[in-house]
Amino acid sequence: MSILVNRDTRVICQGITGKVGEFHTRGCLDYGTRMVGGVTPGKGGETVAGLPVFDTVAEARDATGANATMIFVPPAFAADAILEAVGAGIELVIAITEGIPVMDMARVMPVVRDSASRLIGPNCPGVITPAECKIGIMPGYIHAPGHVGVMSRSGTLTYEAVWQLTQLGHGQSTCVGLGGDPLVGSSFIDILALFEADPDTHAILMMGEIGGSAEEEAAEYVKHHVTKPVAAFIAGRTAPPGKRMGHAGAIISGGKGTAEAKLAALAEAGIEIAESPADMGAALVRAVERRV
Amino acid sequence: MKIHEYQAKDLLRAAGVPVLAGTVARSPDEAAAAFTTLGTPVCAVKAQIHAGGRGKGKVKGSEQRGVELAKSAADARRIAEGLLGKTLVTIQTGSDGQIVRQVFVESGCAIDRELYCAVLVDRRAGSPVLIASTAGGMDIEEVAAKTPDLILTEPFDADRGLAGWQARLLASKLKLPTASWRHAESFFRALCRAFVDLDASLVEVNPLVLTKDGGLVALDAKMTFDDNALFRHKNVAALRDEAEEEPAEIRAAAAGLSYVKLDGTIGCLVNGAGLAMSTMDLVKLHGGQPANFLDVGGGADVKAVTEAFRIILSDPNVKAILVNIFGGIMRCTTIATALVEASQTVGFTVPLVVRLEGTEVEEGKKILAASGTSIILADGLTDAAKKVVAAARA
């Protein structure tokens, strides 16, 4: 088992006729993902990477039975693409697009909340269940099937952590990129709940970063609701206040969102802390061994 | 993106938020003329820089504060003289301070009470939120830490805006006289509307003033904007004051790079924001100080990487450079080729430590080895950090 995606997940790509959308659709197909089609308004009837292109998500869903979508639509139109997927009843909506205006997401959030859809992202690498289904832009080969659930606000940092795990002989159940924006569809808490309920996930590794309070909320949740071993790393200990560190969400403002506060909250919840980014995989091993 | 107080007040005035009359001045003469034109008995002369804490901040080498009251045109001229072209140091500027290039001459008002309000996006609620407090004019972070009960919050829907009843609820909790509630309703709703319509990331009014005649007015105003939404606000984008920004950061943005200048000696070039932050942390953990944050992004080409090296090398403090790439979609061969080309066109004057991992890593290392470029290769993160810290000290 795994969370969110598996070998039966049927995936479409919104923005499939764009250069990036097509490139990553091919990457997912190569990995073995069941890609079943794509959507670009006005390009219905075309074929990309051997897949049928539809004008609307509703048509694509009806024709292919898709239950997941990955979105590569440009930032100015991406919020609308998310709303279209939710409106068409797609269960899992994964928004890869970086640079969506925050106010657009503020309009999307209540619609998603009142729907049966789950949104992952935006500004995220996607979701992968190794050897079964890859939806997104992560390099497939660094992953191995196994029992560690991985979740993160950052892309390449996740690759780093996954690579360390794989080299240490710890495969992954599912890896989830939450996204680096201030407003994202799923939080650490949402994914923690799924990992906790998944019998195939035996331990959890999370990578947070400065800004906001999602890590503190996750720590509180772990303390009360998670029985599995958890390890964590927080990026941005050296980041100065008031400066946006690449991600729109990674900013220390008003004395809030510092790495110190997050690390203290995580440690207080009994979470094993990786002191260095070179120590993420090892921290997960320590968290597991502590329980034995 | 940040803007100046006088620019924020222009935007707020246009949005129906009450602000006082004022004029921006770029010379002492202009400041004196502004005082005369405004025609009020007292004016505030306020330094305009992209940093807060001006009222308590001081000009380097003098007792001149960043905000002072003028009771005559001569006063206004003297204060402006003390500020313009001088370096103002506030709690937010760091010890280097910032040069004052313009002052805002603003008419005074009769203050009954000072309050606080701000609008921002609440990540947890997933919506914009209006924050208000009776503790106006003070350091709001300190208020939030010591007396959280004094901080009032009202989340609101971006499309519907703040409801009238929410504004009245706040007015009541702020203990405003009932005669002022209609002013509060109008003020708060206009402020929230402006926040949404302009795609702001922060609007802060500190202090928000209850005047003797029962009105509300924004005595100070700070606005920052969502960079990702500037494409649909040409009027706001035009308010950018590049003189207030780090030149290297402007240059990096033009090349599609995300760069933040820091004070250390080790330049960092990394793909991905989270890994870039972690690389800085790693350098510090091993006793070094990062000179910058630099994320080249996932789709960087030779040209962008070359520009990244130029920007890092333009910082005279840099004693060594650490390149940390985890190839995913970005192939190590692409980065290696770019490194070699950059070294030939830019010319490295400091040691370069390279850590490559991920897609096509072996081929990438071969390209580097074959090029004869003087590069210190590292295996893994810890090795890379140790080597670059040692190189910077040599």
Side-chain angles (χ1 to χ4, degrees):
Chain A
M1 262 186 59
S2 54
I3 68 165
L4 297 171
V5 301
N6 58 37
R7 56 172 56 85
D8 299 321
T9 308
R10 301 172 65 84
V11 188
I12 55 167
C13 173
Q14 284 172 264
I16 193 169
T17 57
K19 197 175 141 201
V20 185
E22 176 176 349
F23 179 81
H24 292 296
T25 296
R26 289 184 189 276
C28 294
L29 277 169
D30 290 346
Y31 193 77
T33 306
R34 286 185 72 176
M35 297 297 304
V36 294
V39 175
T40 298
K43 303 235 168 136
E46 294 184 12
T47 303
V48 171
L51 300 171
V53 179
F54 301 88
D55 285 320
T56 67
V57 177
E59 287 171 87
R61 183 210 55 207
D62 289 347
T64 65
N67 55 6
T69 176
M70 67 174 177
I71 298 180
F72 283 98
V73 173
F77 314 104
D80 191 55
I82 295 172
L83 292 175
E84 183 183 1
V86 172
I90 300 289
E91 290 163 41
L92 181 65
V93 181
I94 300 175
I96 310 294
T97 306
E98 178 178 359
I100 303 178
V102 176
M103 212 54 67
D104 288 3
M105 285 309 299
R107 292 183 164 98
V108 165
M109 299 292 278
V111 179
V112 173
R113 201 157 39 214
D114 294 342
S115 76
S117 300
R118 176 182 296 282
L119 172 65
I120 304 283
N123 189 14
C124 78
V127 178
I128 182 170
T129 292
E132 293 196 28
C133 177
K134 161 178 130 88
I135 304 180
I137 61 177
M138 66 290 277
Y141 80 95
I142 61 172
H143 303 80
H147 304 288
V148 181
V150 178
M151 55 180 185
S152 169
R153 277 165 70 182
S154 148
T156 45
L157 186 60
T158 316
Y159 309 163
E160 183 75 53
V162 166
W163 185 233
Q164 289 176 18
L165 286 173
T166 298
Q167 287 184 315
L168 288 167
H170 284 269
Q172 305 86 41
S173 53
T174 302
C175 305
V176 183
L178 301 172
D181 281 354
L183 297 185
V184 290
S186 296
S187 68
F188 284 120
I189 293 178
D190 297 325
I191 306 305
L192 276 169
L194 298 180
F195 278 141
E196 175 68 13
D198 173 32
D200 219 28
T201 298
H202 301 170
I204 301 161
L205 176 59
M206 60 181 275
M207 273 71 63
E209 61 191 30
I210 52 159
S213 58
E215 290 80 4
E216 287 88 332
E217 288 149 25
E220 191 64 22
Y221 185 86
V222 166
K223 198 154 78 176
H224 299 291
H225 304 286
V226 177
T227 59
K228 298 174 181 178
V230 183
F233 174 74
I234 302 290
R237 283 198 210 197
T238 48
K243 287 281 189 181
R244 170 182 151 166
M245 306 307 273
H247 286 161
I251 181 166
I252 298 170
S253 58
K256 284 197 179 149
T258 64
E260 289 71 28
K262 291 175 188 297
L263 289 166
L266 293 165
E268 210 263 322
I271 294 170
E272 184 69 31
I273 304 291
E275 294 293 336
S276 147
D279 183 47
M280 295 184 291
L284 188 280
V285 174
R286 289 198 300 275
V288 172
E289 284 172 351
R290 236 167 43 176
R291 299 293 181 93
V292 181
Chain B
M1 187 189 88
K2 295 178 179 175
I3 60 172
H4 290 293
E5 175 199 0
Y6 77 92
Q7 296 169 322
K9 284 182 170 170
D10 283 345
L11 290 172
L12 292 178
R13 187 183 293 112
V17 177
V19 294
L20 299 167
T23 309
V24 67
R26 294 181 178 85
S27 71
D29 282 348
E30 282 181 20
F35 183 94
T36 309
T37 311
L38 288 169
T40 50
V42 179
C43 277
V45 180
K46 305 161 116 177
Q48 298 294 292
I49 56 170
H50 282 185
R54 293 166 299 158
K56 287 177 184 155
K58 278 185 192 169
V59 166
K60 256 189 188 170
S62 87
E63 285 303 299
Q64 172 78 58
R65 299 210 175 256
V67 177
E68 289 204 10
L69 294 180
K71 289 179 178 161
S72 67
D75 263 3
R77 183 193 306 272
R78 177 184 53 77
I79 298 166
E81 255 167 9
L83 287 170
L84 289 166
K86 307 284 168 36
T87 302
L88 184 64
V89 180
T90 80
I91 195 161
Q92 287 185 16
T93 60
S95 54
D96 285 349
Q98 262 170 258
I99 293 176
V100 181
R101 295 179 178 85
Q102 49 216 342
V103 295
F104 187 46
V105 184
E106 190 179 50
S107 54
C109 70
I111 298 172
D112 180 2
R113 279 166 57 198
E114 293 193 350
L115 310 161
Y116 171 94
C117 77
V119 191
L120 46 85
V121 167
D122 182 344
R123 301 184 193 210
R124 196 171 191 175
S127 77
V129 61
L130 173 65
I131 297 172
S133 174
T134 52
M138 295 162 59
D139 180 0
I140 197 68
E141 283 130 37
E142 213 177 301
V143 176
K146 287 182 184 163
T147 46
D149 291 353
L150 291 181
I151 308 280
L152 310 168
T153 59
E154 280 297 323
F156 62 93
D157 182 87
D159 283 327
R160 287 193 297 274
L162 188 80
W165 67 264
Q166 291 181 293
R168 290 195 300 278
L169 183 67
L170 280 179
S172 165
K173 286 183 179 171
L174 291 169
K175 301 192 172 58
L176 297 180
T178 47
S180 296
W181 286 15
R182 64 187 174 88
H183 297 302
E185 194 173 326
S186 157
F187 186 101
F188 289 140
R189 294 184 73 183
L191 195 74
C192 292
R193 180 49 55 209
F195 175 85
V196 171
D197 288 349
L198 294 170
D199 277 293
S201 48
L202 174 72
V203 182
E204 190 177 42
V205 178
N206 189 21
L208 161 66
V209 159
L210 175 66
T211 58
K212 295 267 195 220
D213 58 8
L216 284 171
V217 62
L219 202 61
D220 191 13
K222 177 181 172 187
M223 289 185 91
T224 60
F225 296 90
D226 180 356
D227 293 330
N228 291 333
L230 286 176
F231 72 90
R232 58 190 179 203
H233 301 287
K234 300 278 185 267
N235 60 326
V236 173
L239 299 178
R240 167 160 257 140
D241 184 354
E242 292 198 342
E244 295 283 322
E245 296 175 19
E246 178 67 41
E249 290 178 15
I250 297 170
R251 198 172 148 190
L257 307 164
S258 181
Y259 171 88
V260 177
K261 193 185 175 315
L262 302 167
D263 296 331
T265 58
I266 296 173
C268 302
L269 188 155
V270 190
N271 66 329
L275 192 59
M277 267 190 280
S278 305
T279 303
M280 286 160 43
D281 298 345
L282 191 72
V283 164
K284 185 139 187 193
L285 203 67
H286 289 276
Q289 291 291 339
N292 65 276
F293 166 95
L294 195 152
D295 171 13
V296 293
D301 54 10
V302 173
K303 207 175 139 204
V305 174
T306 306
E307 180 69 358
F309 278 117
R310 284 214 169 93
I311 290 166
I312 291 175
L313 287 165
S314 72
D315 177 352
N317 294 333
V318 168
K319 300 277 187 287
I321 298 176
L322 172 57
V323 174
N324 182 19
I325 299 293
F326 201 109
I329 298 315
M330 160 76 73
R331 293 190 291 265
C332 289
T333 43
T334 308
I335 280 288
T337 309
L339 273 178
V340 173
E341 288 207 27
S343 76
Q344 284 159 1
T345 53
V346 182
F348 290 108
T349 47
V350 297
L352 182 67
V353 177
V354 179
R355 182 269 180 151
L356 290 180
E357 198 54 81
T359 313
E360 296 182 0
V361 58
E362 292 311 322
E363 295 90 329
K365 284 181 180 172
K366 274 179 201 154
I367 291 172
L368 291 179
S371 74
T373 314
S374 157
I375 287 170
I376 306 167
L377 268 181
D379 284 316
L381 288 175
T382 305
D383 185 44
K386 283 182 178 163
K387 281 179 173 161
V388 79
V389 171
R393 281 186 183 146

